[in-house]
Amino acid sequence: MKKVILGLLAIVALGSCSEQKSDGGKAPTRVETEIVSLSSGSNSQTYVGIVEEREATAVSFTGMGVVKRVLVSEGQAVSRGQLLAEMDDTQARNLLSGAEAQMAQANDALERYTMLHDNGSLPEVQWVEIQSKVAQAKSQLEVAKKNLADCRLVAPVSGIVGRKQIGAGETALPSQAVVTILDISSVKVKVAVPETEIGSIAANTPTSIKVDAIGQSFSGARIEKGVTADAMTHTYDVRINVQNPERQLLPGMVASVQFKASPSPSQGGDVQIPVTAVQKNADGALFVWVVGEDSTAHRTAVTIGSTQGRSATKETLGLSKNRIAVTSGISEGERIVTEGYQKLSEGTRVVF
């Protein structure tokens, strides 16, 4: 009986050793991996942009007075020459009446003095004086007419009323904006681009613009690049012209902007991997975990280049991870660990 029991124990022990050996002493660690490939012919870079109007025109009265009424509201479409607001014109009408009376008096005097002048009985000095008075009266009449006309504020351009800054009963000052008219027949999407990436963007770089507020995408046209960097963020303002014939794009809307820029010559043969796959040793050396043919992870030193496809709001826009160029250490076709590397050590068996 003892021999039977000992035999069974020996079989169990051998089976356990065999199983432990086949598993390498530890269950494989589950990770996420990626096959390394060369970067494509272009880098897709995505940013967050803000829609701006093509042009904003502040419309104001030329004189001071009390606003009698404002005939437009914010968001209303207006045409060039349309009446926007009126100022109390009582004083302007009184001045016009006085100027018209002076003009009539000057014309009457001119008519009577003309007969004397034609008969040669009027001194030349008086003739010149009466002509001067007529000219002065005419000038004052034109000024009075202009003052009365300026009590009516008309739109100098067509567009959308962006902001109404003065209401009825308020006193308008010269050059104080009453309303702002926005031209949004085409708009500009403003994007802040880091100085390390501004060189890859040209005036004709293809762009794709998605605006979640209206659920539509647009193709950008000509690009305007700023030449002065922000002192704090070291970014340059880039504005992309976008046609907006149906006026769906409104100033202030948030847009996801994708530049499809060509890589610089130094990046032409580099591989692109997720930034998070690159780790740092205690001595500061960079490495990635490479999965060998035997499904074990090995620490491999790498040299990196520049990041690509920077995105400010990955969570809200659903953008892909940032990627970085690796100039040496790994090559095309190798498998690297992108997630789960925290549990790895040299030679750890992995599954993916």
Side-chain angles (χ1 to χ4, degrees), residues 113 117 120-133:
Y113 277 97
H117 180 266
S121 57
L122 182 69
E124 191 65 26
V125 174
Q126 291 184 350
W127 175 245
V128 173
E129 182 180 351
I130 190 60
Q131 287 183 319
S132 177
K133 289 182 178 181

Side-chain angles (χ1 to χ4, degrees), residues 150-199:
D150 287 345
C151 291
R152 292 167 51 88
L153 187 64
V154 297
V157 294
S158 298
I160 302 293
V161 177
R163 179 176 297 180
K164 185 172 68 173
Q165 298 177 322
I166 294 181
E170 298 183 63
T171 300
L173 300 176
S175 301
Q176 179 185 9
V178 177
V179 296
T180 302
I181 299 178
L182 308 179
D183 181 0
I184 58 172
S185 56
S186 66
V187 296
K188 296 180 181 181
V189 179
K190 177 183 174 183
V191 177
V193 178
E195 61 181 10
T196 56
E197 300 172 12
I198 192 68

